[in-house]
């Protein structure tokens, strides 16, 4: 059941529908998979935390879209489309700004093995001093305020100290 992503228990999980017999999967729903969440009231959020199922990687979410609305009904506004890194632990998506939401749609576009699973879906609340942006400005504001990784191959590090214990100053910018 999809409600398990909101139960606060990382050992329970949601899994997309499939049909099996004698330990063999006969068929399964195909993406996209929509998870719709309606909050009790308009809520300021600054990100989300996705906790994958911990006992296997099948169904790990690879690509998603996030939609939002300030209303209980009507059209949803697409905020973002992202590819998730291949990671085994929880992933925090920091918006680098705040948005007010009443309804969220988390649309899974691709999952490992053609399925989707998720243990927990948490919204990160904003604070009183959070910069709140309209949906139309969300992508631009998020991109302007997020941390950007600099390609380490473009950085040169030097020093005039001797190398010791098989260390080299260039390793500080190697990205490893």
């Amino acid at each position: 059941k999809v409600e398990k992503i909101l139960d606060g228990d990382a050992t329970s999980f949601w899994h997309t529908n499939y049909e099996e017999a004698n330990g063999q999967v006969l068929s399964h729903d195909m993406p996209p998979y929509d998870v719709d969440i309606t909050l009790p009231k308009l809520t300021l959020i600054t990100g989300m935390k996705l906790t994958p199922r911990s006992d296997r990687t099948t169904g790990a979410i690879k690509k998603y879209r996030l939609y939002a609305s300030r209303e209980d009904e009507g059209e949803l506004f697409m905020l973002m489309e992202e590819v998730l890194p291949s990671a085994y632990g929880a992933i925090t998506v920091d918006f680098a700004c705040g948005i007010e939401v009443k309804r969220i749609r988390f649309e899974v576009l691709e999952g490992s093995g053609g399925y989707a699973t998720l243990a927990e879906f948490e919204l990160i609340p904003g604070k009183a001093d959070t910069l709140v942006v309209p949906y139309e400005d969300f992508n631009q504001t998020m991109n302007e305020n997020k941390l950007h990784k600099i390609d380490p191959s473009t950085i040169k590090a030097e020093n005039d100290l001797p190398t010791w214990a098989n260390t080299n100053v260039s390793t500080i910018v190697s990205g490893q």
Side-chain angles (χ1 to χ4, degrees):
K1 290 184 173 188
V2 75
E3 294 86 8
K4 292 186 178 193
I5 67 170
L6 302 171
D7 66 3
D9 180 0
T11 64
S12 67
F13 57 88
W14 159 72
H15 193 298
T16 51
N17 293 325
Y18 63 95
E19 184 180 332
E20 74 165 303
N22 301 320
Q24 298 293 320
V25 174
L26 304 175
S27 66
H28 64 86
D29 290 350
M30 299 301 291
Y33 311 109
D34 292 344
V35 175
D36 292 313
I37 299 169
T38 302
L39 302 171
K41 63 182 182 176
L42 192 63
T43 304
L44 175 62
I45 63 170
T46 59
M48 61 185 175
K49 182 178 175 183
L50 308 171
T51 304
R53 177 179 175 179
S54 62
D55 61 340
R56 55 179 75 162
T57 58
T58 301
I61 296 169
K62 294 180 172 185
K63 185 176 182 180
Y64 71 89
R65 283 189 190 128
L66 185 67
Y67 297 84
S69 172
R70 295 174 51 87
E71 309 294 330
D72 282 335
E73 297 178 9
E75 268 191 65
L76 293 159
F77 186 88
M78 188 175 93
L79 295 172
M80 62 195 311
E81 181 175 312
E82 294 285 320
V83 174
L84 290 174
S86 297
Y88 293 104
I91 296 167
T92 300
V93 179
D94 181 6
F95 297 161
C97 61
I99 57 167
E100 294 178 317
V101 299
K102 178 74 165 85
R103 234 172 2 123
I104 294 271
R105 172 171 290 154
F106 183 72
E107 180 182 49
V108 179
L109 301 173
E110 184 181 347
S112 176
Y115 303 94
T117 65
L118 193 61
E120 291 297 308
F121 180 94
E122 300 171 64
L123 296 173
I124 300 169
K127 297 182 176 138
D129 62 346
T130 299
L131 169 67
V132 180
V133 298
Y135 293 171
E136 296 80 17
D137 297 338
F138 177 78
N139 277 308
Q140 179 180 344
T141 304
M142 188 174 90
N143 191 46
E144 288 172 352
N145 292 319
K146 74 178 181 179
L147 294 175
H148 294 275
K149 184 177 180 179
I150 298 172
D151 179 2
S153 68
T154 65
I155 301 171
K156 183 177 181 181
E158 297 177 336
N159 76 353
D160 58 358
L161 300 173
T163 300
W164 55 274
N166 295 322
T167 61
N168 188 325
V169 72
S170 65
T171 60
I172 65 171
V173 294
S174 69
Q176 297 183 12

